[in-house]
Amino acid sequence: MDNSEELERVCVFGTGDLGRSLGLRLLQAGYGVVFGSRRPHSSSSLLPHGAQVLGHAAAAQSAHLIFIAVQREHYDFLVPLANQLKGKVLVDLSNNLKKNQYPEANAEYLQSLVPGAEVVKGFNTLSAWSLQNGPSDANRQVYICGESVEAKQAVIAVAIKLGFSALDRGFLSVARELEDFPLQLFPQWRLPLRIAIGLSAAFFFYLLIRDIIYAYVTQSKDISFRIMVSLANKVCPIVSLIMLSLCYLPGVLASFLQLYRGTKYRRFPDWLDRWMLCRKQLGLLALGFAFLHVLYTLIIPIRYYVWFKATERTNRTTQFDMTTAWRGDSYLSLGILGFGLYVLLGITSLPSVSNALSWREFSFIQSKLGHLTLLLCTAHTYLYGWNRFLSSSTYKWYTPPGYMLCLVLPSVVLLLKLLLITPCVDRTITRIRQGWERGADQRNPKDSQPLIP
Amino acid sequence: MDNSEELERVCVFGTGDLGRSLGLRLLQAGYGVVFGSRRPHSSSSLLPHGAQVLGHAAAAQSAHLIFIAVQREHYDFLVPLANQLKGKVLVDLSNNLKKNQYPEANAEYLQSLVPGAEVVKGFNTLSAWSLQNGPSDANRQVYICGESVEAKQAVIAVAIKLGFSALDRGFLSVARELEDFPLQLFPQWRLPLRIAIGLSAAFFFYLLIRDIIYAYVTQSKDISFRIMVSLANKVCPIVSLIMLSLCYLPGVLASFLQLYRGTKYRRFPDWLDRWMLCRKQLGLLALGFAFLHVLYTLIIPIRYYVWFKATERTNRTTQFDMTTAWRGDSYLSLGILGFGLYVLLGITSLPSVSNALSWREFSFIQSKLGHLTLLLCTAHTYLYGWNRFLSSSTYKWYTPPGYMLCLVLPSVVLLLKLLLITPCVDRTITRIRQGWERGADQRNPKDSQPLIP
Amino acid sequence: MDNSEELERVCVFGTGDLGRSLGLRLLQAGYGVVFGSRRPHSSSSLLPHGAQVLGHAAAAQSAHLIFIAVQREHYDFLVPLANQLKGKVLVDLSNNLKKNQYPEANAEYLQSLVPGAEVVKGFNTLSAWSLQNGPSDANRQVYICGESVEAKQAVIAVAIKLGFSALDRGFLSVARELEDFPLQLFPQWRLPLRIAIGLSAAFFFYLLIRDIIYAYVTQSKDISFRIMVSLANKVCPIVSLIMLSLCYLPGVLASFLQLYRGTKYRRFPDWLDRWMLCRKQLGLLALGFAFLHVLYTLIIPIRYYVWFKATERTNRTTQFDMTTAWRGDSYLSLGILGFGLYVLLGITSLPSVSNALSWREFSFIQSKLGHLTLLLCTAHTYLYGWNRFLSSSTYKWYTPPGYMLCLVLPSVVLLLKLLLITPCVDRTITRIRQGWERGADQRNPKDSQPLIP
């Protein structure tokens, strides 16, 4: 470009994937780009067209803002450049391969090597890929931190021009947190996954004993092949229903806590806060188990065992039982409707769908339809149990069957929710959520207008 | 921050969730933030680190732009501050709990209380949550309105720095519309939902009479248990097919209207416009009903009734009928392929997927594949009917069965579409869409170049 | 607006859908908008409120930036305006109806008509619809090109204010590429679709001969009705499994290539690069076929043929075979779990979901869970074959059955992957990916620090 001297210039140290992608994007956003290189003449062939390549010292002098797209192990080449880097803004883009690899954050290490420069940590959550293809939804946001406000302002300005939105997270001591960010592996899914695995294992062994080992011990029948489908198809719906109620329990508990305290201005206990934050994950895992349950149910008729049973039963003559027909069909129908709503809840929790909903629409779906789903699935399970609740033959070895155990929690949640939506309780809750505090008027007059600061 | 005096300062009145989130985000975007508070010393503990807290008057004087994150009921505390607020820009963030709660919009009320200030309505469509977590997709867009162009420009500048894109909607009289926005509950889903519920109810009663009451009256057989699955599995596909054709009918009608008028430069009638705008919702509801139909069909073999019938039929000896085998398998196969395409259409209408498609790709999927889906599902239904169309025993009480009724609309849509894609009609339509007008050259020479303004 | 004289003014030529939408959006972003029209008085009724309408010459003089929202065929009206357009920035928004419609790009043609103006191509990838409804995810990015850096900077500034992020793609010679962009129809889906269609056709005819024609020739049995469901349900899983392994094969090959070369700094051959780029599409098509396979399998019990067989088999007396029960249930269970993971992979490849994942999370799901899915589905197919691999009756006309053919590729991929994750190979690969090069230290000292530029 002939008139590049009129453009604002930035410098990029590092000609790897990341440096090249960043340079290309800076060029496209209208910046003049100077790459700093140890061998300016040999490395220019791979670099984006329109960029200049200079030696490190010359490159550093040509721009105020310098992006450091080099791995931490090679930072020492910057020490001899201390003079040229004095007063410059150095943006540290680096990441590590694992957490706590080094005693201090890369950006802090960089600052200690070049004390005269203003180090800003940032852009490290972006991959070379997302730099090249442009920001999209969740990776539009770029976090930065650093000591100097002016340096951070300069970096924010570049970020906006590249199409990102930059957030200042504070001083350089936050750098470690930003560097750990790209290394995290589903932090908010850990607890829900552990609950799911724990519940699955517990119910698997419980049902293994009750169904298969019981049959072996008392009737010497080997029905171990049932593990693969029948047992799986009991564990899945049980875990699904329990996790769905675990997803709605914290909301109900929070309401009762607010009701008991008479105010919304006190923090929830930590365990409740953490629980509330993983509701979405609990719900989605529950949906996954429900999905498996549906598949396991639908393949029943093509199982060899079922086919074999069908050939046996031909000489039996039974009377058509209207109650059984009603119960069975209602049971299936409730399950289908419940699963349909379940899928709807799952779809609305996709980021792009939930972003398109207004707050009121989102809460309508997740709360009203969510509790309806829980109601349908609980009713589905009650119909499955039907009249076996009272027959003593159900309780092998004095243990209740799995579906009975899994009904406890959803029933409690639904009962509590029912209490909350009775008119008088509902009115109090609504007033508390609008800022009203019980006893505020009499006891503590200065708290009476909580929303005026 | 030691050098915050060099930063641009904004002021936030209100220390609730919204005020705190907004303050935090402003700080992170590089603004100096001053909270205005009645008790500056007691409220500072909860506020984001780095913000200043002053009394209302002092805070108002320290900044040009003041965000009012206070509920409307408490606005009167601003009246005594009229002097300090003169000439300032007040951004009204407030929302109401229901529509038409007050005679005038909150922003208009605020303007009447502080006539000397420039009130701008805006940011009210954002929740504290989305402020804190950053803009994403659909809630990136912020609407503002107000009388003063300069005031709105100042607010737009802040919005861009926070990562939002602000749209000026006009004068302050639009404020009510903006305030109603977060309160709306699926406005564009209402009509399609009403149609779906209306159709379902109508066909439910129609089939109830034809199937269950007819059997009771003429043969005294009680088959009421069939309501739960068999009847549901007739209503679902019928409603689904009708709604799918309602989704493609307006497009076909619009083409014929353009063909009849010979121009694309005249507005469609209002009812057609409104219908066109809810096509996506019609299609997605149709997909929901199709999904239920699939589940209801797949559970057929595990129903008690079907199991009972299977044990009965053993003494029958029938001949294998090749035609029935062909028909039945084709019927199932068409249904599966139709449903597969249906799901594909549903996936491409997810916001994040449709945004990633070019306009030509989107129209290819929604129009070409959409009509193919309609064709497959219609053929599936015709194969279901097969040769029963002509047998008189089909017409109980002289009424046609449900699947026959539901075939009328899709057949019409497909026939009309077939007409539209015949070469000669297609050519005319294409020319009209490119701006050609019938008779324009002879009759009205000044209209002949419609695209030159 | 009374004080519009203080706003920055832009001009729009063209009052069609696109011009009007653009004008409205510019007004909402705080610009003063002047429409240029041949008949300023007759065309103003449809234009957005707040815009001015002038004759072309007057409009051109009122602003520095002029958007040309007119079709290329009508560009000649600009020739007489050459004087007024001298030095102005003309933004060419136009698109064509098909590729290579004209010898040169529209923007180049415009530049040749008005040599004194600075033509910038841009905004042409947006539809009137997305202009009006605001940028979202994938269409937030706007590409521009042109000769003058200042002109492009001016256009970038407008784009940012409208909420878009503009990327400079270079000189005006790139205009043709930008104009072809909205015309493309799934370019990255072509190869995977061709592979899918080719495989489906090949296996369809192979199985047609082996199953249906073989039965007809050797036993004179007409079982052609099986084409619709049984054959489809063999083709679908075969194609699905092959395409899934084609999706993971290039990654494995690339690793071996890096291992063989001992460096990651050499480009992959072109065919491998192209293959790697369509992995997502291969995987999604494979998921589609798996989905059809699931549906085809689940409807088996409601087929007429199966019902007929069931009525026949009643007089047979067989012994319950425990091995068959175990094998059958395991086969089904593996299929269900494999399909569940498959769906999970599909969901995480939705743009909005994958954008929300960190790079490490995305690669965990797509690589670890992806290979697990392949393993489950391959095991599912092996269990389907079971002991028929060795029986000679399986090899009709000396050809192996379809499921045996489709097992070759996934088995190879899984074996190679197994090799790659053995500790010693894995260590070498990891070192290579971190920048280590085999023999670099001895042979070529200047390449030894590849990441220092």
Side-chain angles (χ1 to χ4, degrees), chain B residues 204-245:
Chain B
F204 178 79
F205 287 112
Y206 183 75
L207 294 170
L208 189 72
I209 291 166
R210 253 187 63 95
D211 288 8
I212 285 142
I213 297 180
Y214 178 85
Y216 192 75
V217 170
T218 60
Q219 303 152 50
S220 310
K221 273 205 305 188
D222 177 10
I223 52 168
S224 59
F225 70 93
R226 290 178 148 227
I227 288 173
M228 292 313 284
V229 173
S230 308
L231 209 65
N233 199 18
K234 283 183 176 178
V235 170
C236 283
I238 286 174
V239 174
S240 179
L241 188 57
I242 292 182
M243 301 222 21
L244 188 64
S245 42

Side-chain angles (χ1 to χ4, degrees), chain B residues 135-263:
Chain B
S136 53
D137 216 22
N139 47 29
R140 253 184 52 77
Q141 198 137 236
V142 167
Y143 300 100
I144 61 167
C145 69
E147 300 295 324
S148 156
V149 175
E150 293 84 10
K152 288 190 284 191
Q153 290 280 345
V155 176
I156 287 178
V158 174
I160 288 178
K161 253 201 157 169
L162 296 190
F164 296 97
S165 95
L167 284 192
D168 181 357
R169 293 293 296 267
F171 294 119
L172 207 53
S173 49
V174 189
R176 172 171 292 266
E177 204 183 298
L178 299 191
E179 285 169 15
D180 281 350
F181 192 76
L183 293 174
Q184 68 189 13
L185 192 61
F186 300 110
Q188 73 279 53
W189 284 87
R190 292 226 174 120
L191 182 62
L193 266 175
R194 268 185 216 138
I195 294 174
I197 293 168
L199 282 174
S200 304
F203 275 99
F204 178 79
F205 287 112
Y206 183 75
L207 294 170
L208 189 72
I209 291 166
R210 253 187 63 95
D211 288 8
I212 285 142
I213 297 180
Y214 178 85
Y216 192 75
V217 170
T218 60
Q219 303 152 50
S220 310
K221 273 205 305 188
D222 177 10
I223 52 168
S224 59
F225 70 93
R226 290 178 148 227
I227 288 173
M228 292 313 284
V229 173
S230 308
L231 209 65
N233 199 18
K234 283 183 176 178
V235 170
C236 283
I238 286 174
V239 174
S240 179
L241 188 57
I242 292 182
M243 301 222 21
L244 188 64
S245 42
L246 283 179
C247 165
Y248 290 107
L249 184 53
V252 170
L253 287 183
S255 295
F256 273 99
L257 201 63
Q258 287 183 337
L259 212 56
Y260 170 76
R261 287 172 169 179
T263 176

Side-chain angles (χ1 to χ4, degrees), chain A residues 314-347:
Chain A
T314 51
N315 11 17
R316 267 189 278 164
T317 48
T318 46
Q319 196 59 38
F320 185 72
D321 179 7
M322 189 61 87
T323 316
T324 310
W326 262 103
R327 181 188 75 83
D329 279 9
S330 306
Y331 157 71
L332 292 169
S333 209
L334 282 176
I336 288 171
L337 295 176
F339 182 65
L341 275 181
Y342 230 141
V343 170
L344 187 67
L345 290 177
I347 290 172

Side-chain angles (χ1 to χ4, degrees), chain C residues 135-192:
Chain C
S136 52
D137 217 21
N139 46 30
R140 252 182 55 74
Q141 200 138 234
V142 168
Y143 300 101
I144 61 166
C145 70
E147 299 296 325
S148 154
V149 174
E150 294 83 10
K152 287 191 283 190
Q153 290 281 344
V155 177
I156 287 178
V158 173
I160 288 179
K161 252 200 157 170
L162 296 189
F164 296 96
S165 95
L167 284 192
D168 182 357
R169 292 294 295 269
F171 295 118
L172 207 54
S173 49
V174 189
R176 171 171 292 267
E177 203 183 297
L178 299 191
E179 284 169 14
D180 281 349
F181 193 76
L183 293 173
Q184 67 189 13
L185 192 61
F186 300 109
Q188 73 278 52
W189 284 87
R190 292 226 176 122
L191 182 63

